[in-house]
Amino acid sequence: MKIAVLGTGMVGQALAGRLTELGHDVTVGTRDVATTMARTEPDGMGNPPYRDWATAHPAVTLATFAQAAADAELIVNATSGDVSLPALEAAGRDNLAGKVLLDIANPLDFSQGFPPSLFVKDTDSLGEQIQAAFPDLKVVKSLNTMNALLMVNPGRLAGGEHSVFVSGNDAAAKKTVTALLESFGHTDVIDLGDITTARGTELLLPIWLRLYGALGTPMFQFRIVR
Ligand code: NAP
């Protein structure tokens, strides 16, 4: 499948790398290709610059958000949550219309330091805001409740099956995303319902962040025992 991964951070890199490994034709989207390739410093979390990752992944093309989205059959939103709406606007409404958007972004507000709070919560969600702003897009919220490395390789964690959630209004789009998740190795995909259920998974972030603090590692997962 032709897939656009909008976002050059660790989530974009993890998704683009794994999707390429699985045989998909992947283009990563960024604001400005030259600026992104000119960065030599690690990001705020200490991750190496995109160009180091790109050197190790020559099959992945880097393009503007709009160029990446134009040809794609499926689009991944791996942009910072506070700028996801402008990033999607930059991708171009015509380029998005009718397509599936796997939305991984979380509405984190770092303005008061760490841990961040949520800038939308409880009675609304970022997933819903994206769906409302782009009614032609088939938004499926998923993978936002775990570390990037586990999104694409859940088997890295010992301890058996763990859970991933999908939220979205379009049943066929959720089926497409579920198939992708299963191709990554996820075995317990829980369909929570329409896009309003993204309120629930985005609200898992406050507890995820406290677990990160308490456990001292991001390598843990939610497992729904029933
Ligand atoms: P990030 O640093 O949150 O986002 C990087 C992307 O945001 C870059 O592609 C950047 O564009 C874009 N961006 C920044 N400012 C922008 C602006 N003003 N306009 C348009 N685009 C802009 O990267 P990340 O850590 O990989 O996270 C991506 C998303 O996944 C976030 O929403 C995060 O909350 C969510 N998430 C992350 C994890 C994780 O393990 N890190 C886990 C779960 C969910 P350029 O390429 O042009 O710089």
Side-chain angles (χ1 to χ4, degrees), residues 103-128:
D103 173 34
I104 307 179
N106 278 314
L108 301 181
D109 174 2
F110 287 91
S111 63
Q112 304 302 313
F114 198 89
S117 57
L118 301 180
F119 63 76
V120 52
K121 53 182 169 287
D122 195 18
T123 55
D124 195 4
S125 62
L126 180 59
E128 286 167 86

Side-chain angles (χ1 to χ4, degrees), residues 110-165:
F110 287 91
S111 63
Q112 304 302 313
F114 198 89
S117 57
L118 301 180
F119 63 76
V120 52
K121 53 182 169 287
D122 195 18
T123 55
D124 195 4
S125 62
L126 180 59
E128 286 167 86
Q129 292 190 346
I130 293 172
Q131 184 63 82
F134 299 91
D136 293 340
L137 204 50
K138 298 167 186 169
V139 180
V140 180
K141 186 106 208 174
S142 191
L143 292 175
N144 60 310
T145 56
M146 66 196 78
N147 174 262
L149 301 176
L150 296 176
M151 292 177 189
V152 294
N153 193 354
R156 279 177 79 122
L157 269 190
E161 188 175 69
H162 38 94
S163 308
V164 59
F165 309 98

Side-chain angles (χ1 to χ4, degrees), residues 29 71 76 126 130 143 174 186 222:
D71 289 342
V76 176
L126 180 59
I130 293 172
L143 292 175
K174 283 193 284 194
H186 290 281
F222 293 110

